[in-house]
Amino acid sequence: MRRLRYTLALLVAVIVCGGLGYHWLSHLDPLDSLYMAITTLFTVGFRELGEVNARTKLFTIFYLVVGLGVATYAISNLTALLLEGDLKGYIMERRMQKRLDDLKDHIIVCGFGKMGFQAAWELKKAGIPFVIIEQDETKGRSPRFAGELILYGNAMEELVLERAGIRSARGLITALTTDADNVLVTLTVKQLRPDLPVVARSAKLGTERQLRAAGADHIVSPYEIGGRRMAGLLLKPEMMNFFDIVLQQEQFELGLERIAIAPGSALVGQTMREARLRHATGSLLVGLVHPGSRLQFNPSGEERFQAGDELLVMGPSDALETLTRLAKG
């Protein structure tokens, strides 16, 4: 863009100088002076205006020699910008920055390897806005993510995280190749946003302690989860199939959510039997967490809701939305 601005400024300067020269030498008004400067510079030459004397002829010769060279340089520069794609890239960059500035309540995915790819794909299917940060520009060319926001840079740098909208994000997933990189990303994120939930990938067993010390809220070990699932499919296949139904919402309209009760909610002070959540919202209460206590599965009807309680509920998306509005008051 500096080259484009310099080229246009140089071209305008030559035209202005030509217009002033014809205004002083041929005693023309501003419009006629501009007309003479442009037609002479671009060698159109319809007709000459004003007084044509020796000084005008000498000025025209000098103006043609200098101005034609500048015009040729400017036009070739503009053509190169268009053909090389620099101008298109700049426009796309500005458009992407506008989308980044408008993002709110999104998720940042650091690393676009196999695990980051799958995490971003799940977010896309769920309709949740996200930004991908990847250092290798060859990894962001999947047709599945055409048109999505992908920043190429180092996720451990504060400027890159700031540009990804870390101040307004709702969470961050770091799925870089090495555990050391994930630890550094977590440390940087917690310095910028201590309250931001961070899900970190653990490539090797035993590195959970370092990630936890760095501030990671949730740690995912793909090998541990994969091995546990393989054993579960043989030991408890029906339970594993049930969780697949809950998680794969594109096949069944069923979801599992954790909803907090706000102080102004109508649920505060009511018992489960009085609230009749299944009748009022269509959702099923699976578990209940009182502030400072552990999760209670299948709580009794005498349990009384308090402000700050967290409800583990299951049901269709519209029922979960109804319960969320009720819990928020």
Side-chain angles (χ1 to χ4, degrees):
M1 290 308 299
R2 283 196 300 268
R3 189 170 67 171
L4 178 61
R5 285 193 292 267
Y6 172 76
T7 300
L8 293 177
L10 192 61
L11 187 59
V12 170
V14 170
I15 294 175
V16 169
C17 290
L20 291 175
Y22 283 112
H23 174 69
W24 289 331
L25 296 175
S26 300
H27 308 290
L28 298 173
D29 60 58
L31 181 59
D32 288 341
S33 300
L34 182 64
Y35 171 81
M36 280 294 297
I38 292 178
T39 56
T40 303
L41 180 63
F42 293 101
T43 65
V44 178
F46 291 121
R47 63 188 180 92
E48 292 178 318
L49 302 177
E51 300 178 12
V52 182
N53 48 40
R55 292 184 303 170
T56 306
K57 293 177 180 178
L58 289 173
F59 174 77
T60 301
I61 293 172
F62 175 78
Y63 179 60
L64 269 174
V65 172
V66 176
L68 193 58
V70 173
T72 304
Y73 167 77
I75 293 172
S76 62
N77 227 346
L78 291 174
T79 305
L81 282 171
L82 293 174
L83 292 180
E84 292 171 6
D86 294 345
L87 190 59
K88 181 181 177 182
Y90 172 77
I91 294 173
M92 292 178 64
E93 185 77 11
R94 288 293 298 270
R95 190 178 300 165
M96 184 176 72
Q97 188 59 50
K98 175 73 167 54
R99 292 175 60 191
L100 287 171
D101 294 339
D102 294 339
L103 269 181
K104 295 290 185 296
D105 201 32
H106 60 288
I107 292 177
I108 301 173
V109 180
C110 302
F112 202 50
K114 295 178 180 178
M115 198 166 182
F117 181 96
Q118 190 60 40
W121 180 243
E122 294 297 327
L123 294 174
K124 184 173 182 178
K125 289 192 297 183
I128 298 174
F130 62 91
V131 180
I132 299 169
I133 301 178
E134 172 56 48
Q135 201 162 9
D136 187 356
E137 296 189 11
T138 62
K139 290 186 178 179
R141 299 176 182 174
S142 172
R144 287 190 182 185
F145 293 92
E148 298 296 336
L149 290 172
I150 302 178
L151 286 179
Y152 294 106
N154 191 344
M156 291 172 274
E157 295 181 0
E158 294 185 7
L159 290 177
V160 176
L161 292 171
E162 291 280 4
R163 192 182 176 200
I166 192 172
R167 301 293 179 183
S168 59
R170 61 186 288 188
L172 181 139
I173 298 172
T174 172
L176 300 180
T177 306
T178 65
D179 291 337
D181 290 343
N182 290 321
V183 169
L184 288 175
V185 170
T186 305
L187 285 171
T188 306
V189 169
K190 287 300 180 178
Q191 288 178 355
L192 297 173
R193 279 278 308 274
D195 61 320
L196 186 69
V198 175
V199 180
R201 172 183 183 264
S202 174
K204 295 181 180 179
L205 295 175
T207 57
E208 293 86 355
R209 187 190 309 172
Q210 290 88 339
L211 288 167
R212 190 76 65 186
D217 300 276
H218 307 282
I219 300 170
V220 176
S221 175
Y223 301 109
E224 180 182 354
I225 292 176
R228 188 183 301 167
R229 177 174 174 80
M230 292 171 71
L233 286 171
L234 292 177
L235 298 176
K236 300 177 181 179
E238 294 302 325
M239 182 177 293
M240 300 303 295
N241 291 334
F242 169 75
F243 281 114
D244 285 341
I245 291 174
V246 173
L247 294 175
Q248 296 177 6
Q249 298 184 22
E250 71 276 4
Q251 296 181 9
F252 297 91
E253 190 59 30
L254 187 67
L256 186 65
E257 296 286 346
R258 194 164 182 161
I259 301 173
I261 299 179
S265 173
L267 295 175
V268 176
Q270 294 188 22
T271 63
M272 283 187 54
R273 185 173 288 109
E274 294 169 346
R276 301 179 65 192
L277 293 181
R278 186 172 183 182
H279 175 75
T281 65
S283 55
L284 177 64
L285 182 63
V286 179
L288 174 65
V289 181
H290 290 303
S293 62
R294 302 180 64 181
L295 175 65
Q296 302 178 42
F297 280 102
N298 193 23
S300 67
E302 301 304 321
E303 286 288 341
R304 193 172 298 275
F305 295 123
Q306 308 171 20
D309 283 353
E310 290 188 341
L311 310 178
L312 187 64
V313 292
M314 185 171 60
S317 58
D318 55 348
L320 296 177
E321 290 175 4
T322 303
L323 181 56
T324 302
R325 289 194 297 268
L326 181 62
K328 289 183 177 179

